[in-house]
Each structure stands twice: as C-alpha cells, then as structure tokens.
Amino acid sequence: MNRLVEFCTNNMHHGTDTILRRLEEERPDVETIEYGCLGNCGMCYLEPYVLVDGEIVAAETAEALYEKIVQKLNEAAIDPFADLPLD
C-alpha cells in the first residue's frame, strides 16, 4: 500500500524541497505530490510542514520534519494485529 505525502510549493523556502527529493529517492513505497497551495497559509509561512495521508506533520526544521515523516510512515506500517493468535 503506497503512502501519500503532500507538499506545498509555497513552503519550499523552509527546505521541504530537499525532503521531497529525498523521499522520492529513498522511499519507493511513498507517493509524493506537490501542490501550489494546501490551504494552511499561516502554518506554511511559519514552519516546514506536509500532509502525510491527509494529516498535518510539522517541525521546526526541514531535517526534523523528515524524521517526523519517517516516524509517521513507520508507525502506520506496524500491523496492530500481528501478535494475535490465529484461532
């Protein structure tokens, strides 16, 4: 199942363009889309952010944002039923 990370072009001045390229290179399981606007202008002006599967993920720096994105992607990849017995 491919995951979706959405970027705002107006937020690229925070360094999210490097995150976009890095995800494209390192995470084939992630679909990245770049939009002209995601409608979160106040947040967009203040800090780097993206939408991961429709949920806002933000951080103080682009590098911290990348780590949060990876953490969010990995959390969702964990199967909560994996340890249950099959009866």
Side-chain angles (χ1 to χ4, degrees):
M1 169 179 140
N2 276 358
R3 307 298 301 285
L4 178 62
V5 180
E6 298 167 274
F7 291 82
C8 177
T9 58
N10 295 312
N11 195 250
M12 296 297 180
H13 68 278
H14 288 293
T16 56
D17 56 326
T18 59
I19 295 171
L20 174 71
R21 288 192 302 275
R22 191 169 170 187
L23 286 173
E24 288 175 339
E25 292 172 5
E26 297 175 5
R27 297 292 302 252
D29 61 319
V30 174
E31 181 180 349
T32 57
I33 299 177
E34 185 179 345
Y35 292 104
C37 180
L38 291 174
N40 297 302
C41 299
M43 175 179 280
C44 188
Y45 175 75
L46 294 174
E47 62 188 347
Y49 89 101
V50 297
L51 298 179
V52 177
D53 295 330
E55 292 184 39
I56 293 174
V57 177
E60 291 186 17
T61 67
E63 186 58 38
L65 178 60
Y66 179 80
E67 296 303 321
K68 283 187 169 185
I69 293 168
V70 169
Q71 180 180 8
K72 182 84 170 164
L73 293 170
N74 291 340
E75 282 175 4
I78 297 170
D79 182 357
F81 303 106
D83 294 331
L84 295 177
L86 298 174
D87 288 4

